[in-house]
Amino acid sequence: FVLNNTIKTTARRARGVFIEGANTSLIANNTIVTIGQFGYGIYAYLYADNNTAEYNRINTSGDSTTAIEFDQSNDNVVRHNTIHTVNLSAFGVYFFGAHSHYAINNTINTTAQAGRGIMFERTNNSFAINNTIITSGLFGFGIYFFDTTFNNTLESNDINTTGNTASAIRLD
């Protein structure tokens, strides 16, 4: 368990919390600040299944940062988090290459060009329910499905996008 911590990283490719192959972990009630290009607030990788990230406050700044990412991991829950990302290509929640994920009751604010509130890439049977998402900047997407995503559900999300070529929901 990772509970009730204040975590700050200030380096390129730094991760506030990194999980690789661990199952049934709880990451909750943390304040995480990540400053630096390619940084992550919470990063779970390669068969990190059945994990929950909840009630965290995550701020990221730096190009290509991600607040919470589950990469090639299944059956994970992201709920009740408050996320703010700043700078080019910053993501709030990113699910990549897996299935059965839940993003529920999160508040996500991305500021800058190509920000993504919630992104599903090569992800099936997943849900985004009751999230509040604000994106501002050129090519900002509230919820983005990319590259062979199937059987996913969006329900009761409040999405506000501003900026040229911005989309509340985008399917590619």
Side-chain angles (χ1 to χ4, degrees), residues 16-66:
V17 177
F18 178 49
I19 300 169
E20 183 173 0
N23 297 310
T24 321
S25 296
L26 175 64
I27 304 140
N29 297 311
N30 299 290
T31 298
I32 302 170
V33 177
T34 301
I35 300 168
Q37 186 180 31
F38 305 117
Y40 295 88
I42 298 169
Y43 182 64
Y45 176 67
L46 202 57
Y47 309 113
D49 301 331
N50 300 303
N51 296 294
T52 300
E54 64 183 10
Y55 298 103
N56 298 290
R57 291 155 309 285
I58 303 172
N59 292 293
T60 68
S61 64
D63 292 348
S64 301
T65 59
T66 303

Side-chain angles (χ1 to χ4, degrees), residues 24-122:
T24 321
S25 296
L26 175 64
I27 304 140
N29 297 311
N30 299 290
T31 298
I32 302 170
V33 177
T34 301
I35 300 168
Q37 186 180 31
F38 305 117
Y40 295 88
I42 298 169
Y43 182 64
Y45 176 67
L46 202 57
Y47 309 113
D49 301 331
N50 300 303
N51 296 294
T52 300
E54 64 183 10
Y55 298 103
N56 298 290
R57 291 155 309 285
I58 303 172
N59 292 293
T60 68
S61 64
D63 292 348
S64 301
T65 59
T66 303
I68 300 172
E69 180 171 340
F70 285 96
D71 183 352
Q72 300 175 64
S73 303
N74 300 307
D75 303 304
N76 293 293
V77 177
V78 176
R79 64 181 172 211
H80 301 291
N81 297 286
T82 301
I83 295 168
H84 187 215
T85 67
V86 178
N87 282 17
L88 179 67
S89 297
F91 295 10
V93 177
Y94 183 23
F95 298 117
F96 175 80
H99 66 273
S100 301
H101 292 296
Y102 296 84
I104 304 168
N105 293 320
N106 298 288
T107 299
I108 302 168
N109 187 335
T110 67
T111 305
Q113 182 175 332
R116 310 288 188 250
I118 300 173
M119 183 165 175
F120 297 93
E121 182 174 355
R122 298 181 194 165

